[in-house]
Amino acid sequence: MIPCVQKRGSRTVGLIFYLYEPGRCEEHTDPHLVAAWDAFAPDPGRHPDATYADLARLLDQPVDALVPSRRPDQHVWHLSVRNSPEDPLLTDKQWADIARRMVAATGIAPTGDDTACRWAAVRHADDHIHIVATLVREDGRRPRLNNDAARAQAEARLLEAEYGLRQLNPGDGTAAKRPTSAERHKAARERRPQTPREELRETVRHAAAGAMNETEFFTRLTAAGLLIHQRVAPSGDLLGYKVALPDDRNQVGEPVFYAGSTLAPDLSLPKIRKRWTTNGSESGRDADTPAGPRWPGPAGARRRATNTMWQALLVIDHGTDEEIAASIAGAGEVLDALATTSVASTRHELRRAAFVFERATRSHTQAASGHDRALRHAARELVRSGPVLGSGEDGATTAMVIDMAFFLVTAAAHWHARKNHAQQAAAALQTAQHLCTAYRTAAQHPMTALHQRGQHLTRPRLQRQAAQVRQAVPELAEQILAEPGWHALAATLTDAEAAGHQPATLLAEATRRRELQTADSISEVLVWRLRRTADLPADTQLMPIAASATPGPRSRTTRPVTDRSGADQRRRAR
């Protein structure tokens, strides 16, 4: 159940007209009164002799009784209460009870107060009601409406439990503003997949991901096709900005602009500037993030982002709350960057993941200054490296980075849950579901190739790799060996051995620093951890022939695999 306190107004009859009319898309069906301050209040929907003006005049009587100088300019209070689509259909009697509970909880008409404000609840659809009230009590005083929105939310949580409705998580005031009903109806009329508010919020977040300064930020907004209006002080200083979609116009044909702060609390210009002032130099890079020339382009950016997210995981495990909040905010920028550079096969799910995770990036825990620098740099590298290809090393490293992102957002969900950040925890868990779907798409080809290579290994080689697993992780060995991904892991262990690594040591390191019991496939998780740690190609077609050949003393070379000519590879294979 979602209660929403709307903006206050000055014309009671105008709001009543909207509630009782069919609506622009005929979405209002059978509008009628379900409850009111007076059991004999006229109902223009069911009584043919009652008019909109009659109901408005009665509601306004306490306001009109005041001398004009004492009348409030904005005296119309409006609350909508909407159920979820999966909720059971409520009767008029039940909606009447909900309306009385809401006006009592918000301070409009406290229970037992005979001189409270006048109000009326109108139902014009199956799933919601609208409550209109005038903000002058019968005794001429003003109602106490401090925190009326929060009190309505708290009452909604109680009503959900009593009526068996979908129970929503309590909010904390850090969420972005939801689209209004008018915005949703307009988007439906224009057949938009999102409301302009949601599309703009997503586009602005993508533009801010990894941006270094105002020039780059506004250049990205322009490149995305948005209309931009900058608010400039007389001194020439930039104070703020507004954005609009070129095809979103109001009734007089003007663009509908939204300020950054109205899109999301962290998208105001001052909040975005804080990212730039804590980012350090453009060339700054974490000491733990390798950046050699071995993996150039988008594949290299994804590998480095994977390493950076691994370090962020350790911060979430052992850092302070402020450091963890900064890492989660930085992870949001990495997801935004992935969404803008992904291929069509994974783009939809990655965009949904980034869109949903936005809610998990904000809480009342103040992020530590500068602790998102490495993640912001990773996001910048992803954007600057450009879109990936759908196959080869680019496609395989996409699976690698999504796999790490899944563990990062899952860790964020657990931290939020421990801190009782219910909405943020739920958003992070939903993000993990979208990442799972994107991972299955991205990993299908590289994991199939690794599986086939593992199946072609000789029995002695498979037995040798199984022994390595039992030695390194005895408590998980039998589960790993029974998984479908075991052959892919065996091929990876063979590649690591050929590159001069000790498989048992790599396995022990991969399992020591992070738990694996919650993974759907431990073997697949280990594949990507080992290939990242050992700096092996994610695309197995880049592996030398010797790495997957039949076992022998020469296949366990003590030198790492480097880019060699075809002749060198053939000589070593012989």
Side-chain angles (χ1 to χ4, degrees):
M1 176 178 290
I2 302 175
C4 182
V5 177
Q6 310 287 344
K7 290 183 179 179
R8 297 182 184 183
S10 57
R11 294 186 66 248
T12 306
V13 70
L15 178 55
I16 291 175
F17 183 89
Y18 163 75
L19 298 179
Y20 276 96
E21 285 298 295
R24 295 183 178 181
C25 298
E26 303 296 325
E27 67 272 19
H28 300 170
T29 58
D30 187 24
H32 59 279
L33 212 64
V34 293
W37 84 101
D38 187 337
F40 298 102
D43 181 5
R46 293 286 176 86
H47 299 149
D49 295 333
T51 66
Y52 304 153
D54 292 336
L55 180 57
R57 184 167 51 253
L58 289 173
L59 286 168
D60 281 341
Q61 275 185 351
V63 181
D64 296 336
L66 298 176
V67 296
S69 60
R70 291 188 56 201
R71 296 171 188 171
D73 293 333
Q74 304 290 316
H75 71 273
V76 183
W77 184 85
H78 178 199
L79 173 73
S80 63
V81 185
R82 182 180 300 271
N83 278 350
S84 298
E86 64 270 27
D87 284 337
L89 186 66
L90 301 182
T91 65
D92 282 352
K93 184 178 180 181
Q94 291 172 317
W95 277 118
D97 176 60
I98 291 171
R100 294 187 184 95
R101 296 269 297 270
M102 283 293 177
V103 295
T106 55
I108 290 293
T111 304
D113 189 346
D114 295 332
T115 59
C117 298
R118 296 187 177 188
W119 59 275
V122 178
R123 181 182 187 181
H124 60 200
D126 288 339
D127 63 348
H128 71 279
I129 59 171
H130 292 262
I131 302 174
V132 54
T134 47
L135 299 179
V136 175
R137 292 163 47 90
E138 297 281 7
D139 57 11
R141 295 184 293 123
R142 305 284 181 85
R144 295 181 178 180
L145 297 179
N146 295 334
N147 298 320
D148 54 344
R151 286 187 280 172
Q153 291 288 348
E155 190 66 24
R157 304 294 83 80
L158 298 176
L159 288 164
E160 289 163 356
E162 293 178 23
Y163 281 97
L165 307 176
R166 177 187 175 188
Q167 293 190 269
L168 302 181
N169 293 311
D172 59 2
T174 62
K177 184 179 179 181
R178 293 175 179 272
T180 65
S181 58
E183 292 170 350
R184 291 194 302 270
H185 292 320
K186 181 180 178 181
R189 289 196 308 273
E190 297 177 351
R191 298 182 179 180
R192 295 178 181 269
Q194 296 174 294
T195 63
R197 180 188 298 276
E198 293 170 316
E199 184 175 347
L200 288 169
R201 183 166 73 241
E202 182 180 23
T203 304
V204 173
R205 287 189 66 86
H206 290 176
M212 294 290 295
N213 49 50
E214 290 178 6
T215 301
E216 183 174 6
F217 173 60
F218 287 112
T219 298
R220 290 185 184 183
L221 291 179
T222 302
L226 301 188
L227 302 179
I228 306 169
H229 176 76
Q230 296 181 342
R231 186 162 59 92
V232 182
S235 61
D237 295 332
L238 181 61
L239 301 178
Y241 72 99
K242 297 188 294 185
V243 289
L245 297 175
D247 58 346
D248 181 31
R249 304 275 171 164
N250 58 20
Q251 293 180 343
V252 297
E254 298 174 339
V256 180
F257 281 93
Y258 294 82
S261 59
T262 64
L263 296 176
D266 57 343
L267 292 183
S268 67
L269 188 59
K271 292 291 182 64
I272 293 178
R273 278 173 172 159
K274 287 185 177 180
R275 309 185 192 186
W276 302 328
T277 56
T278 60
N279 191 45
S281 64
E282 179 179 343
S283 60
R285 193 188 306 273
D286 259 18
D288 293 325
T289 306
R294 177 165 165 76
W295 309 111
R302 274 157 168 70
R303 280 180 171 269
R304 290 186 287 274
T306 303
N307 287 330
T308 303
M309 285 192 287
W310 174 258
Q311 298 301 321
L313 264 174
L314 302 180
V315 171
I316 293 178
D317 283 343
H318 307 293
T320 65
D321 287 345
E322 293 75 16
E323 292 169 348
I324 293 170
S327 292
I328 293 175
E333 294 200 45
V334 173
L335 288 179
D336 286 326
L338 282 174
T340 59
T341 57
S342 57
V343 293
S345 58
T346 57
R347 185 179 305 138
H348 175 73
E349 290 298 331
L350 288 176
R351 283 187 61 185
R352 293 304 304 165
F355 186 84
V356 173
F357 193 70
E358 175 259 349
R359 181 66 189 95
T361 61
R362 290 189 308 274
S363 69
H364 285 301
T365 302
Q366 184 69 34
S369 177
H371 277 269
D372 60 347
R373 181 176 63 84
L375 287 163
R376 295 207 69 247
H377 184 85
R380 178 173 177 78
E381 278 203 293
L382 288 169
V383 173
R384 295 189 70 177
S385 67
V388 298
L389 300 174
S391 58
E393 186 71 7
D394 284 359
T397 50
T398 296
M400 180 185 290
V401 72
I402 294 174
D403 175 75
M404 186 62 70
F406 170 84
F407 278 93
L408 183 57
V409 302
T410 302
H414 293 163
W415 178 78
H416 279 307
R418 290 195 302 271
K419 296 298 176 180
N420 295 318
H421 302 162
Q423 289 190 354
Q424 291 89 337
L429 289 176
Q430 188 178 352
T431 302
Q433 295 175 358
H434 289 296
L435 289 175
C436 273
T437 303
Y439 170 79
R440 285 193 290 269
T441 301
Q444 182 177 5
H445 176 74
M447 289 303 298
T448 299
L450 276 170
H451 181 80
Q452 291 174 348
R453 289 184 60 225
Q455 285 184 316
H456 285 86
L457 294 175
T458 63
R459 183 176 296 275
R461 177 59 64 89
L462 283 172
Q463 291 174 342
R464 174 184 174 81
Q465 305 304 359
Q468 302 272 22
V469 171
R470 290 190 176 97
Q471 175 188 345
V473 282
E475 69 282 2
L476 297 174
E478 297 310 315
Q479 180 180 346
I480 293 173
L481 296 177
E483 288 181 347
W486 156 239
H487 286 93
L489 178 58
T492 296
L493 292 171
T494 301
D495 293 341
E497 194 173 23
H501 298 281
Q502 293 294 328
T505 303
L506 287 176
L507 279 169
E509 177 68 12
T511 56
R512 179 179 63 85
R513 298 178 71 184
R514 189 72 194 168
E515 59 86 19
L516 287 166
Q517 285 81 354
T518 58
D520 291 337
S521 174
I522 297 177
S523 52
E524 287 196 29
V525 172
L526 290 175
V527 163
W528 298 119
R529 289 190 187 178
L530 295 179
R531 302 198 81 83
R532 175 182 63 84
T533 305
D535 201 29
L536 300 172
D539 178 21
T540 58
Q541 294 181 358
L542 300 179
M543 289 300 301
I545 298 174
S548 58
T550 56
R554 293 182 179 273
S555 65
R556 295 193 298 275
T557 177
T558 58
R559 287 183 292 179
V561 176
T562 57
D563 293 330
R564 296 186 293 267
S565 67
D568 288 340
Q569 294 182 27
R570 286 192 293 273
R571 282 196 296 271
R572 286 193 176 272
R574 290 196 295 269

